[in-house]
Amino acid sequence: MVQKPPPRIAILGFSIECNAFAPPATRADFESCVWLERDAIIADARCATPIALGEVPGFVAAMDATGPWQPVPILLAMAEPNGPVEEETFTEMMRIWRKGLERAAPLDAVYTCMHGAGLSTERADPDGDMLAMVREVVGSNVPVVATFDLHANISEAMVQSVDVFVGYRTNPHLDMWQRGEEAAGHVRALLRGAKTARRLIRLPIIPPTVTMLTGMDATDRPYGEMIDLGQRRIAEPDCVGRILNVSVMGGFAYSDTPKNGLAVVVTARRGDEATAETLAEEIASLGWSNRKRFNARLTPLDQATAKAKAVGEDPAKPALCFPDVADNPGGGGRGNTMWILESFHQAGVQGCLVGIIYDPPLAAAAHAAGVGALIEARFNTAETNEFSKPFSVPATVRALSDGRVTGRRGIFAGRDMRLGSSAALDLGGITVVVVSYRTQCADPAFFEMLGLDIGQARSVVVKSRGHFRGGFDEFFTNDRIIEVDAPGLTSPILSRFGWKRLPRPVIPLDEGVKWSPRQLRR
């Protein structure tokens, strides 16, 4: 008997969350984060501290553990959230993916690691375009499984081009490895002959980022409740073996596309389309019933400043965390607006840590001066974004680092992080961490690499929207987190943006928005 060769599985990926209001992303933005081709993808996935996020390492580990296979890696491109990808760069990616797939034929299956909220300077749906190209090249009989960030904006092309659609379930994102493992399980099932169908429902709701927490300890979780319902139903007897995946996708408002909107995607075995439709409608109906809860509630800057000053003056009060949700590099923010820092400094806040501020020229100046030097810390001398205002203050260089650190908790746990030349600057009561690579402050290691003790701080300001909760939860419970209302490219107050392509009317921007499951059956 002739032994069947191991299945040949292509691996490729495009992962960037694009803010239409932010500066364009270049090839250099990918190369400084993750641009891996061919065998380098597998080598990174199998190493102890990969540079890629967890989906591909989880997928590779699960495939390795479940039987023989032959990986056919092509290109994995990931970048920090930014503006639309320059079309020339995306076109080059498409060329590499297409050529790699054509060269690899015949393939037995394809795994694609996606974000789902991409843009290019000429495309509103590059994720859909990529997946449609994959389907075109490999044909209708080769299984395609894709994983997505739950902030993906879902188009019909994204759903119809894959056999199984797998979205994250946690926000903060703590299940990326598990979703990669799940994708591998679906690939194995499809190779055994499983056939699927998918159902997509999109609601006229654009959830502000701060309303999309999933943790059971969150103050309010209208989005998390939708995910909970899907996971309860998929485990019930009438769905087991029939429903393969339930993904509730909150979307990313700042992409400003016609496909924006809270979405439910259900993957079922072929023949169980009615079950998928019923379940998708039930989850969507819950989201609609929660619609009034999709409104951002933030603390005004003056009140936040007063709270920080109070805890700095009274050690009996519990320490507080102040996320700068409007300047989140994890959503395309520049990570260097000065509103909170300047307000806290002018008020004389004590015992405060602020991080991480993206400012390569200031980090370089601190390294040139050396530890212990007194310098004039001039923030944002090289920035042109309207929100990144200059701010100058005397500072002492407290510590320096090359910015190379292994993530300790949350979304970056175990990941090889490279923040570039970094410095801790003491402004007198406030210590600021300045870095040379733009990323959100989601891991305590970003302070600890400079010898700063978060546990001794009275207040901590983080440039992050929500992922800091998965890293700093050992220091701050939800009742000690104060989401601050300040200007920025990622403000959860959606009425502050000049939207051009969002579907309208939508909640929370418009009045009189109507939706009913009955509309779906017309």
Side-chain angles (χ1 to χ4, degrees), residues 162-198:
V162 303
D163 292 278
V164 181
F165 183 109
V166 179
Y168 296 176
R169 300 179 199 162
T170 62
N171 186 28
H173 303 332
L174 304 175
D175 65 334
M176 296 174 291
W177 179 286
Q178 290 80 4
R179 300 289 71 77
E181 288 182 318
E182 179 186 348
H186 292 308
V187 166
R188 291 290 188 188
L190 292 164
L191 290 172
R192 292 192 295 269
K195 302 295 182 183
T196 67
R198 291 147 309 287

Side-chain angles (χ1 to χ4, degrees), residues 37 98 141 156 163 166 201 203 211 231 244 276 297 311 329 333 342 385 412 458 466 480 497 518:
E37 296 190 49
R98 177 182 285 275
N141 294 323
E156 285 74 9
D163 292 278
V166 179
I201 297 178
L203 288 163
T211 67
Q231 295 311 301
L244 303 181
R297 298 174 180 85
V311 299
E342 189 168 1
N385 187 270
F412 297 138
R458 303 301 300 136
R480 292 163 56 193
F497 294 82
R518 289 190 296 273

Side-chain angles (χ1 to χ4, degrees), residues 307 309-320 458 480:
K307 289 177 182 290
K309 186 171 176 60
V311 299
E313 294 172 346
D314 185 355
K317 293 180 180 291
L320 298 175
R458 303 301 300 136
R480 292 163 56 193

